[in-house]
Amino acid sequence: MAFNLQSAIDDLFKPPTQLQSLVDRAVGPQRDEPDLALNLDICDLVNRKKGNYPHDAVFALLPYINGRAPAQAQLALTLLDNLVKNCGHPVHYQIGSREFLNELFRRFPEYQPSLTNAVHYRVLEMLQEWRVSLCQRSRYREDLQRINDMYALLCRKGWRFPRIDSDNVAVVLEPEDTLKTKEELEKEDMDAMQAKLQELLRRATPRDLREANKLMKVITGYEQSTKQRDYNKEWEDELQALEHKSTVLHEMLREADPGRPIDDTVQELLNKCTSSLTRLRRLIAEHEAGEGAEERGDLDRMVRLSDTIGEAVEAAKELRCGRKPQMRALCTNDTGAEPQAATDANELISWDEDTDSAPNPVPNTDPVETPKSPLDDLAGLSFHTLQPISPSSSTAPLQSPSAQIQPMTNPSLPADSQQARMHRAAATVKQNDAFDFSDLLAAAKSASAKPNSARTASWGSSPDSAKSNSKSLIDFMS
């Protein structure tokens, strides 16, 4: 018993931790208004230390919120609001626990009184903000369902929630269009799982320990999570969404009238794109060191996107000054990717020409060539004057043998003698070809002296015999 009493005394007189000292200073009774610098120092300490610090910081404020001093309760609620907006999911997981919500609403009456005090009003307003922002837009909304349950319970008991400011809701979480890289998304998920694991190990109930065992396997990579996210797809979706907004903004500013004020829709798009421009330029500076093809492709897209947003910002300044901005026309490809500059009409070469549409082919009107015989190849050749033969030149048609045969004009020979017929045949051969086949004719003369009627008839003056003789000469040459 004495040992237990000594332990209680030690705990009572134990010096406070650094976090508890800062919380006591931030919500001390001597303060009339919150110290924002001190509150941000507490947020930085929680983000730097992690571990049990989110739990300790949140639960250290509950005694002040439920205390009897309204001024200290308001200071504690302000510090709690700063922790929720600056410390991310580790604090969100703590305020979404059953233990914290039950302790937060412990001093609330069963039903809402006719006159609600300022502390209850502020707590109801913060719960409404958490429900609208965290439970609907957070990536880890499944861990925050206790907030919806508490809201439904209070509604059933007749509690009326105040209207909330949209600006306060927007700063609870980061803007939805915040550009995050794949590495940042993966790190954010890892931090959320580690915060959840820390809380499960702190509670150390059998159910929590079983869940912590499963979560440790996922963190170490021993098992795959059933809700594994595709970071490449999320990064691509973020880039495409920002490209679409910048393209719409560019076109609306390009068609705007300098004499009129900027439309509310244009101003909203301009604010969103401008807020992303600083982040985009920081990512460009970080990606310039990358050497991979994927990093270079993302870098090119971000550079074009930064140029488009920068041009839109400058155009908005020109419109406010009453001048028409000079903006290049943008076009998007079929996949809805990055906008590209349209081609100037005065350029000599159009780079945006549609390559899919090819001109209609010109039909071939050349006559179809018919197969030629060897006689057609040799016809019309002149060996007296050597001239190059053009492949495209057409040869003259071959005349009939009967037209080329000239009558025998030697009066000393009888017209019906065999020697006259041989002279006429030799003349016919020389007219058909420019070669001098004297040796061949001498052989034919000696053969004609033999009594061979068929050989004699072949040297006749008929057209058929001359034609067959010409073919035999062609065969002999080849």
Side-chain angles (χ1 to χ4, degrees):
M1 188 67 179
F3 178 78
N4 293 335
L5 180 60
Q6 186 64 34
S7 298
I9 293 174
D10 293 341
D11 293 339
L12 181 61
F13 291 99
K14 184 171 60 175
T17 62
Q18 180 185 5
L19 177 62
Q20 186 65 45
S21 301
L22 292 176
V23 171
D24 293 340
R25 286 174 52 193
V27 298
Q30 72 278 4
R31 294 190 178 276
D32 297 333
E33 58 184 12
D35 187 354
L36 183 59
L38 182 57
N39 292 351
L40 294 180
D41 289 340
I42 297 174
C43 295
D44 293 338
L45 179 63
V46 171
N47 290 331
R48 186 171 63 254
K49 295 293 186 179
K50 298 183 180 179
N52 288 330
Y53 274 72
H55 173 270
D56 295 341
V58 168
F59 279 84
L61 297 174
L62 289 175
Y64 296 101
I65 296 174
N66 294 327
R68 296 184 179 275
Q72 283 186 297
Q74 290 288 352
L75 294 174
L77 289 174
T78 302
L79 179 55
L80 178 62
D81 186 59
N82 295 143
L83 289 171
V84 170
K85 294 177 180 178
N86 293 280
C87 296
H89 186 69
V91 172
H92 300 167
Y93 190 79
Q94 295 296 330
I95 66 174
S97 62
R98 179 186 299 175
E99 182 182 1
F100 175 81
L101 292 174
N102 289 338
E103 192 67 22
L104 180 63
F105 290 93
R106 182 173 58 84
R107 299 292 300 272
F108 272 56
E110 186 71 16
Y111 300 99
Q112 186 174 14
S114 57
L115 294 177
T116 305
N117 60 38
V119 176
H120 291 171
Y121 184 88
R122 178 62 176 150
V123 172
L124 293 175
E125 186 179 15
M126 293 177 65
L127 182 67
Q128 178 79 328
E129 291 177 2
W130 300 344
R131 185 187 68 86
V132 174
S133 58
L134 299 178
C135 297
Q136 296 181 5
R137 291 169 42 196
S138 176
R139 288 167 58 91
Y140 319 102
R141 61 180 68 92
E142 63 275 3
D143 297 333
L144 308 173
Q145 293 304 315
R146 299 291 183 185
I147 298 176
N148 285 329
D149 297 340
M150 181 59 69
Y151 176 82
L153 177 62
L154 294 174
C155 288
R156 287 197 299 268
K157 290 186 177 182
W159 286 84
R160 296 182 300 275
F161 287 82
R163 297 176 62 89
I164 58 176
D165 189 1
S166 59
D167 296 336
N168 293 334
V169 175
V171 297
V172 173
L173 286 175
E174 293 181 352
E176 294 181 347
D177 53 356
T178 301
L179 200 61
K180 295 182 180 180
T181 61
K182 295 171 285 187
E183 293 77 10
E184 292 174 341
L185 292 173
E186 187 175 1
K187 183 179 181 299
E188 183 180 348
D189 288 346
M190 185 61 65
D191 293 341
M193 288 188 292
Q194 290 177 354
K196 183 177 181 179
L197 177 63
Q198 186 70 29
E199 179 62 20
L200 293 175
L201 294 177
R202 189 195 63 82
R203 292 196 295 237
T205 62
R207 180 179 178 181
D208 293 335
L209 291 178
R210 287 193 297 269
E211 188 175 355
N213 186 26
K214 297 179 182 178
L215 190 58
M216 281 190 292
K217 293 180 180 179
V218 174
I219 292 176
T220 57
Y222 184 76
E223 290 182 358
Q224 292 292 334
S225 176
T226 56
K227 299 179 180 180
Q228 186 69 25
R229 291 182 171 89
D230 188 358
Y231 300 114
N232 293 325
K233 184 178 182 302
E234 292 184 11
W235 166 250
E236 182 67 23
D237 293 343
E238 290 178 358
L239 277 182
Q240 289 185 0
L242 188 56
E243 287 170 349
H244 177 70
K245 291 178 182 178
S246 63
T247 304
V248 173
L249 175 63
H250 193 282
E251 294 300 328
M252 295 179 72
L253 290 175
R254 189 164 174 255
E255 298 176 359
D257 188 1
R260 297 182 179 180
I262 298 179
D263 191 7
D264 294 339
T265 304
V266 179
Q267 186 63 41
E268 183 179 358
L269 281 175
L270 182 62
N271 294 336
K272 290 183 178 181
C273 293
T274 306
S275 63
S276 302
L277 184 59
T278 305
R279 172 65 177 164
L280 195 62
R281 289 173 177 173
R282 187 181 299 114
L283 291 177
I284 290 174
E286 294 176 358
H287 278 69
E288 285 180 350
E291 298 180 355
E294 184 177 359
E295 287 77 5
R296 300 301 302 176
D298 293 341
L299 178 61
D300 294 340
R301 292 182 63 182
M302 288 189 293
V303 168
R304 288 192 294 267
L305 186 56
S306 176
D307 295 340
T308 303
I309 297 177
E311 185 178 1
V313 172
E314 295 298 328
K317 294 179 180 179
E318 294 290 332
L319 288 173
R320 292 191 182 98
C321 296
R323 296 189 295 268
K324 182 68 175 178
Q326 299 295 330
M327 304 180 68
R328 57 192 175 94
L330 296 181
C331 61
T332 55
N333 52 18
D334 297 336
T335 58
E338 70 277 359
Q340 299 178 355
T343 306
D344 190 2
N346 295 326
E347 291 183 357
L348 296 179
I349 301 177
S350 177
W351 299 104
D352 293 336
E353 184 177 359
D354 189 5
T355 57
D356 296 336
S357 60
N360 295 328
V362 179
N364 188 9
T365 57
D366 296 338
V368 180
E369 296 184 359
T370 57
K372 297 181 179 180
S373 63
L375 289 176
D376 296 334
D377 295 334
L378 294 176
L381 297 179
S382 177
F383 292 92
H384 298 288
T385 58
L386 299 179
Q387 297 178 355
I389 302 175
S390 175
S392 61
S393 61
S394 59
T395 58
L398 184 64
Q399 296 181 359
S400 61
S402 59
Q404 299 175 2
I405 299 176
Q406 300 294 333
M408 191 67 182
T409 58
N410 190 356
S412 60
L413 294 177
D416 56 346
S417 64
Q418 183 178 0
Q419 188 176 3
R421 289 196 298 269
M422 292 176 61
H423 278 287
R424 286 196 298 269
T428 303
V429 171
K430 288 185 178 181
Q431 291 178 359
N432 288 338
D433 201 314
F435 286 103
D436 185 11
F437 297 100
S438 58
D439 53 346
L440 184 61
L441 294 177
K445 183 184 298 184
S446 61
S448 62
K450 298 180 181 181
N452 190 344
S453 59
R455 177 75 62 178
T456 304
S458 63
W459 296 100
S461 59
S462 64
D464 295 334
S465 61
K467 186 176 181 180
S468 61
N469 188 25
S470 300
K471 291 183 179 180
S472 64
L473 293 178
I474 295 295
D475 296 338
F476 181 78
M477 288 170 54
S478 60

